[in-house]
Amino acid sequence: MKKILFVTSEAHPLIKTGGLADVSGSLPKALSELSQDIRLIMPNYRSVKTNGHVRFLCSLRIDNRDVNILETRMPDSQVIVWLVDYPEFFNYPGNPYTDELGNAWANNAERFALFCRVAVACAMDRINQGWKADIVHCNDWQSGLVPALLSLEADRPATVFTIHNMAYQGLFPPSHIMSLNLPGQLWHQDGLEFNNMLSFIKGGLVYADRITTVSPTYALEIQTPAFGYGLEGLLAYRREALVGIINGIDMDQWNPETDAYIAKRYGVASLTDKQANKEALQQQLTLPVNAELPVVALISRLVEQKGIDMVLDCLPEMMTMPMQFVLLGAGDKDYEQRLQNLARLYPDKMALTLGYDEALAHTITAAADIFLMPSRFEPCGLNQMYSQRYGTIPIVRKTGGLADTVIDATPQTIADNTATGIVFTEASSGALIEAIKRSMLLYSNRKIWNKMQIDAMQKDFSWQRSAEQYLDLYENI
Ligand code: ADP
Ligand code: GLC
């Protein structure tokens, strides 16, 4: 049994902005079910939703600051959660990284440097709990300083750093090396320095014993300039230590047979009941109720990564096709504005919900026929797996985890029951619209469509296999 400290900046259902939270909510659970002694550490933001059972664990003094550690558990699991309580940094409304207007917190470097130092102290049992980690598993740049700081310790735990997204690196002006009081020996080109900036993510990429990312395809892509953002050389250099492990999904939370959010539950044996969800959604979003029309859906952060510009380009042509389009998302104000303008033009064909809505995400996933995910890059992506589980056929671009989890419908794959979606390659609106047309054609052939739905619903996206791969990795460091 290994003692694992899982360091993350968000975890569902405590707090979530994206897929990192889903992974941090479910991977530690899966590891604890494999009999590992795992604890999760994250900041105690104001919006953290615990189920009320929180106790004071200890306090420690770090960098002239008095920090408390609070202890709770992940709901419905044995996983212990340590909340780093430092109100001056974390007790604010808004999300973990930005204020309510979407601007990055001005003191993010200080906030996450403190978080990293506290994680190091906990991993080394400087908080006297009789629990010293064997493995410290870090996630994304917010935890990047942990492997760097641990590398300077004698008798330290082994470190793993998981890249969920290379586009976010935690870059700060070099003056922070002094103001954060970071050890000078970490400041050089083969250390935390990146183009004369302080790079938090490099702390993970340079100093962790093993690097993982969330799909095998993305593990290859990030070793190329198009996806590595200048760090492709470092990643290629560390390729022996780098592995892609595909994310799983929480099979209990995302299960159409038990989902409490949806109008009518259904499964492979009762697939016709999926229709009732479509009608309920059409009513809810005041679209014309029509069981025949395919509903195309998109649920996403509205950022460049997700190919929203391509969707915007395609929308006028999509609106000439026999379909309805439903979008739930929040993000860049420019995308939000342009989407709003289009939604006003097509009130009978398009329903736009701006904001973050967990319940509606489930409702839409169950109700839609087709799920759109034309990402420019996608380290793993979870929605294409959720939709397959719900018999909602995804249209995805062949990149990262999308390439690894969706099998394109061709005569061959349809015949051998492996087709579960529509995959296109080029990142252009032309290629996307062709893929959408292809999905319309397939949808009109009920027999093939039903077969694809059933094959998609039966795919195994559970955490089991991936958690075992992480365990293997821990054991072989
Ligand atoms: P990323 O982490 O890049 O945003 P993922 O596909 O890994 O992408 O995970 C996104 C997660 O966030 C999914 O669980 C998705 O359902 C959820 N999500 C994204 N936007 C919204 C929204 N506006 N409302 C509700 N859930 C959302
Ligand atoms: C990131 C990626 C997404 C991935 C998620 C969880 O947010 O953008 O592709 O699924 O992390 O690993």
Side-chain angles (χ1 to χ4, degrees):
M1 187 203 284
K2 294 259 184 241
K3 294 196 184 70
I4 305 157
L5 184 64
F6 193 87
V7 188
T8 182
S9 56
E10 52 180 283
H12 181 76
L14 304 178
I15 187 152
K16 166 165 163 178
T17 73
L20 170 61
D22 298 60
V23 173
S24 303
S26 44
L27 172 59
K29 262 198 227 172
L31 285 164
S32 108
E33 279 157 22
L34 293 174
S35 308
Q36 303 305 302
D37 180 0
I38 181 157
R39 298 181 185 195
L40 184 149
I41 186 164
M42 62 172 240
N44 190 28
Y45 312 104
R46 180 181 294 178
S47 354
V48 164
K49 281 194 229 86
T50 58
N51 52 8
H53 304 287
V54 182
R55 72 173 183 114
F56 169 82
L57 185 72
C58 62
S59 44
L60 69 163
R61 191 163 174 81
I62 278 199
D63 248 5
N64 289 322
R65 300 176 196 278
D66 290 309
V67 179
N68 291 327
I69 310 273
L70 311 179
E71 184 178 284
T72 182
R73 276 178 202 270
M74 285 303 276
D76 307 320
S77 95
Q78 288 310 305
V79 178
I80 291 176
V81 177
W82 284 341
L83 296 169
V84 176
D85 188 44
Y86 189 69
E88 200 185 315
F89 281 176
F90 301 121
N91 190 10
Y92 288 93
N95 96 7
Y97 321 116
T98 64
D99 63 19
E100 283 160 315
L101 298 173
N103 303 311
W105 295 110
N107 60 349
N108 268 345
E110 287 81 3
R111 295 168 76 231
F112 289 107
L114 179 73
F115 172 56
C116 288
R117 284 186 190 277
V118 174
V120 167
C122 293
M124 297 297 292
D125 197 27
R126 299 216 167 98
I127 55 168
N128 303 318
Q129 298 299 309
W131 191 92
K132 184 175 171 201
D134 302 312
I135 305 282
V136 180
H137 186 154
C138 302
N139 296 275
D140 275 354
W141 73 264
Q142 295 84 358
S143 60
L145 296 183
V146 173
L149 292 168
L150 277 174
S151 76
L152 305 173
E153 300 275 351
D155 196 19
R156 68 170 175 86
T159 51
V160 175
F161 183 80
T162 296
I163 303 165
H164 295 266
N165 199 329
M166 282 297 295
Y168 303 99
Q169 303 192 348
L171 289 178
F172 300 98
S175 53
H176 279 86
I177 210 80
M178 298 289 279
S179 61
L180 297 176
N181 203 11
L182 290 169
Q185 65 264 50
L186 298 175
W187 181 247
H188 51 88
Q189 277 182 7
D190 299 322
L192 297 181
E193 183 185 345
F194 179 66
N195 296 336
N196 199 33
M197 297 284 276
L198 165 63
S199 164
F200 272 50
I201 201 173
K202 274 191 80 187
L205 304 186
V206 172
Y207 295 99
D209 297 310
R210 292 285 187 282
I211 306 168
T212 76
T213 188
V214 287
S215 69
T217 296
Y218 195 60
L220 296 174
E221 288 173 338
I222 55 178
Q223 297 178 48
T224 68
F227 299 88
Y229 303 95
L231 291 168
E232 59 276 5
L234 170 60
L235 288 162
Y237 173 75
R238 294 220 61 198
R239 64 184 172 278
E240 299 293 318
L242 167 67
V243 58
I245 301 177
I246 199 86
N247 288 333
I249 64 173
D250 188 317
M251 300 287 272
D252 299 327
Q253 275 171 34
W254 291 93
N255 180 354
E257 293 186 67
T258 55
D259 194 327
Y261 289 120
I262 70 180
K264 181 144 193 162
R265 297 176 193 161
Y266 61 96
V268 169
S270 51
L271 189 51
T272 45
D273 288 345
K274 184 170 162 59
Q275 284 291 345
N277 290 293
K278 172 145 114 186
E279 288 166 26
L281 182 75
Q282 288 168 328
Q283 265 165 7
Q284 183 182 343
L285 299 177
T286 62
L287 287 168
V289 175
N290 182 336
E292 296 308 311
L293 278 184
V295 169
V296 179
L298 191 156
I299 302 170
S300 179
R301 293 183 295 120
L302 300 176
V303 295
E304 199 198 344
Q305 168 187 351
K306 304 293 180 180
I308 306 301
D309 55 327
M310 293 187 263
V311 176
L312 278 160
D313 287 347
C314 290
L315 264 169
E317 188 167 350
M318 285 164 68
M319 295 292 99
T320 67
M321 299 177 186
M323 67 151 79
Q324 292 173 345
F325 180 61
V326 171
L327 190 151
L328 166 64
D332 287 358
K333 298 300 160 212
D334 178 49
Y335 288 145
E336 292 190 353
Q337 188 63 52
R338 289 164 67 193
L339 284 165
Q340 255 169 339
N341 293 343
L342 278 165
R344 266 189 223 111
L345 281 180
Y346 306 103
D348 283 350
K349 301 210 70 173
M350 171 169 171
L352 170 69
T353 310
L354 293 178
Y356 183 89
D357 188 335
E358 187 79 22
L360 187 57
H362 282 254
T363 318
I364 293 176
T365 306
D369 298 289
I370 296 167
F371 194 91
L372 214 52
M373 217 163 157
S375 307
R376 291 184 175 274
F377 67 95
E378 195 62 75
C380 178
L382 299 170
N383 288 100
Q384 81 282 9
M385 295 193 266
Y386 299 151
S387 27
Q388 287 176 79
R389 185 114 208 271
Y390 282 67
T392 305
I393 299 299
I395 299 181
V396 303
R397 199 170 90 73
K398 192 176 174 130
T399 183
L402 301 177
D404 294 339
T405 55
V406 181
I407 295 187
D408 188 31
T410 64
Q412 178 64 44
T413 57
I414 291 170
D416 66 20
N417 300 326
T418 53
T420 60
I422 289 116
V423 182
F424 69 101
T425 305
E426 198 186 289
S428 72
S429 33
L432 172 57
I433 204 81
E434 283 314 308
I436 293 171
K437 285 182 186 157
R438 195 145 69 83
S439 73
M440 295 289 116
L441 212 60
L442 279 167
Y443 180 82
S444 64
N445 185 329
R446 294 313 300 176
K447 209 167 139 232
I448 293 184
W449 193 262
N450 279 338
K451 193 155 109 88
M452 278 173 65
Q453 284 181 299
I454 287 168
D455 293 335
M457 291 171 84
Q458 287 177 331
K459 271 178 92 158
D460 179 10
F461 292 118
S462 67
W463 264 108
Q464 174 84 22
R465 212 171 345 140
S466 306
E468 277 165 9
Q469 287 181 58
Y470 280 107
L471 204 53
D472 244 23
L473 180 92
Y474 299 155
E475 270 157 12
N476 289 315
I477 300 184

CSV table of all heavy atoms in Angstrom, one decimal, residues 19-20 23 164-165 214 247 301 305 378-382, ligand 2:
chain,number,residue,atom,x,y,z
A,19,GLY,N,-12.3,20.0,-16.5
A,19,GLY,CA,-12.1,18.6,-16.4
A,19,GLY,C,-11.1,18.2,-15.3
A,19,GLY,O,-11.1,17.1,-14.7
A,20,LEU,N,-10.1,19.1,-14.9
A,20,LEU,CA,-9.2,18.8,-13.8
A,20,LEU,C,-10.0,18.4,-12.6
A,20,LEU,O,-9.6,17.4,-11.8
A,20,LEU,CB,-8.3,19.9,-13.6
A,20,LEU,CG,-7.4,19.8,-12.3
A,20,LEU,CD1,-6.4,18.6,-12.4
A,20,LEU,CD2,-6.5,21.1,-12.1
A,23,VAL,N,-11.3,14.8,-12.8
A,23,VAL,CA,-10.3,13.8,-12.6
A,23,VAL,C,-9.9,13.8,-11.1
A,23,VAL,O,-9.7,12.7,-10.5
A,23,VAL,CB,-9.0,14.2,-13.5
A,23,VAL,CG1,-7.9,13.3,-13.2
A,23,VAL,CG2,-9.4,14.1,-15.0
A,164,HIS,N,-2.4,18.4,-17.5
A,164,HIS,CA,-3.8,18.4,-18.0
A,164,HIS,C,-4.0,19.3,-19.2
A,164,HIS,O,-4.9,19.2,-20.0
A,164,HIS,CB,-4.8,18.7,-16.9
A,164,HIS,CG,-4.8,17.7,-15.8
A,164,HIS,ND1,-5.7,16.6,-15.8
A,164,HIS,CD2,-4.0,17.5,-14.7
A,164,HIS,CE1,-5.5,15.9,-14.8
A,164,HIS,NE2,-4.5,16.4,-14.1
A,165,ASN,N,-3.1,20.3,-19.3
A,165,ASN,CA,-3.2,21.3,-20.4
A,165,ASN,C,-1.9,22.1,-20.5
A,165,ASN,O,-1.6,22.9,-19.6
A,165,ASN,CB,-4.4,22.2,-20.1
A,165,ASN,CG,-4.8,22.9,-21.3
A,165,ASN,OD1,-4.0,23.2,-22.2
A,165,ASN,ND2,-6.1,23.2,-21.4
A,214,VAL,N,-2.8,13.2,-20.1
A,214,VAL,CA,-4.0,12.5,-20.0
A,214,VAL,C,-4.5,11.8,-21.2
A,214,VAL,O,-5.7,11.3,-21.3
A,214,VAL,CB,-5.1,13.5,-19.4
A,214,VAL,CG1,-4.9,13.8,-17.9
A,214,VAL,CG2,-5.1,14.8,-20.2
A,247,ASN,N,-7.8,9.5,-19.3
A,247,ASN,CA,-8.7,9.7,-18.1
A,247,ASN,C,-9.9,8.7,-18.2
A,247,ASN,O,-10.3,8.3,-19.3
A,247,ASN,CB,-9.3,11.1,-18.1
A,247,ASN,CG,-8.3,12.1,-17.7
A,247,ASN,OD1,-7.3,11.9,-17.0
A,247,ASN,ND2,-8.6,13.3,-18.2
A,301,ARG,N,-16.2,25.2,-21.9
A,301,ARG,CA,-15.6,26.5,-21.6
A,301,ARG,C,-15.5,27.1,-23.0
A,301,ARG,O,-15.1,26.5,-24.0
A,301,ARG,CB,-14.2,26.3,-21.0
A,301,ARG,CG,-14.2,25.7,-19.6
A,301,ARG,CD,-12.8,25.7,-19.0
A,301,ARG,NE,-11.9,24.8,-19.7
A,301,ARG,CZ,-10.8,25.2,-20.3
A,301,ARG,NH1,-10.4,26.4,-20.3
A,301,ARG,NH2,-10.0,24.3,-21.0
A,305,GLN,N,-9.2,27.0,-27.4
A,305,GLN,CA,-8.9,25.6,-27.5
A,305,GLN,C,-10.1,24.7,-28.0
A,305,GLN,O,-9.9,23.8,-28.7
A,305,GLN,CB,-8.6,25.1,-26.0
A,305,GLN,CG,-8.6,23.6,-25.9
A,305,GLN,CD,-8.4,23.2,-24.4
A,305,GLN,OE1,-8.2,24.0,-23.5
A,305,GLN,NE2,-8.5,21.9,-24.1
A,378,GLU,N,-6.9,18.9,-27.5
A,378,GLU,CA,-7.7,18.4,-26.4
A,378,GLU,C,-6.9,17.4,-25.7
A,378,GLU,O,-6.8,16.2,-26.1
A,378,GLU,CB,-9.0,17.8,-26.9
A,378,GLU,CG,-10.1,17.6,-25.8
A,378,GLU,CD,-10.5,18.9,-25.1
A,378,GLU,OE1,-11.2,19.7,-25.7
A,378,GLU,OE2,-10.0,19.1,-24.0
A,379,PRO,N,-6.3,17.7,-24.5
A,379,PRO,CA,-5.4,16.8,-23.8
A,379,PRO,C,-6.1,15.4,-23.6
A,379,PRO,O,-5.6,14.4,-23.9
A,379,PRO,CB,-5.1,17.5,-22.5
A,379,PRO,CG,-5.1,19.0,-22.9
A,379,PRO,CD,-6.2,19.1,-23.9
A,380,CYS,N,-7.3,15.5,-23.0
A,380,CYS,CA,-8.1,14.3,-23.0
A,380,CYS,C,-9.6,14.6,-23.4
A,380,CYS,O,-10.0,14.1,-24.5
A,380,CYS,CB,-8.2,13.7,-21.6
A,380,CYS,SG,-9.2,12.2,-21.6
A,381,GLY,N,-10.2,15.4,-22.7
A,381,GLY,CA,-11.7,15.7,-23.0
A,381,GLY,C,-12.5,14.7,-22.3
A,381,GLY,O,-12.2,13.5,-22.3
A,382,LEU,N,-13.6,15.1,-21.6
A,382,LEU,CA,-14.4,14.2,-20.9
A,382,LEU,C,-15.8,14.1,-21.5
A,382,LEU,O,-16.4,13.1,-21.6
A,382,LEU,CB,-14.6,14.7,-19.4
A,382,LEU,CG,-13.2,14.7,-18.7
A,382,LEU,CD1,-13.4,15.4,-17.3
A,382,LEU,CD2,-12.7,13.3,-18.5
B,2,GLC,C1,-7.8,19.8,-19.1
B,2,GLC,C2,-8.0,19.5,-20.6
B,2,GLC,C3,-9.0,18.4,-20.9
B,2,GLC,C4,-8.8,17.3,-19.9
B,2,GLC,C5,-8.9,17.8,-18.5
B,2,GLC,C6,-8.7,16.7,-17.4
B,2,GLC,O1,-8.6,20.8,-18.7
B,2,GLC,O2,-8.3,20.7,-21.3
B,2,GLC,O3,-8.8,18.0,-22.2
B,2,GLC,O4,-9.9,16.3,-20.1
B,2,GLC,O5,-7.8,18.7,-18.3
B,2,GLC,O6,-7.6,16.0,-17.6
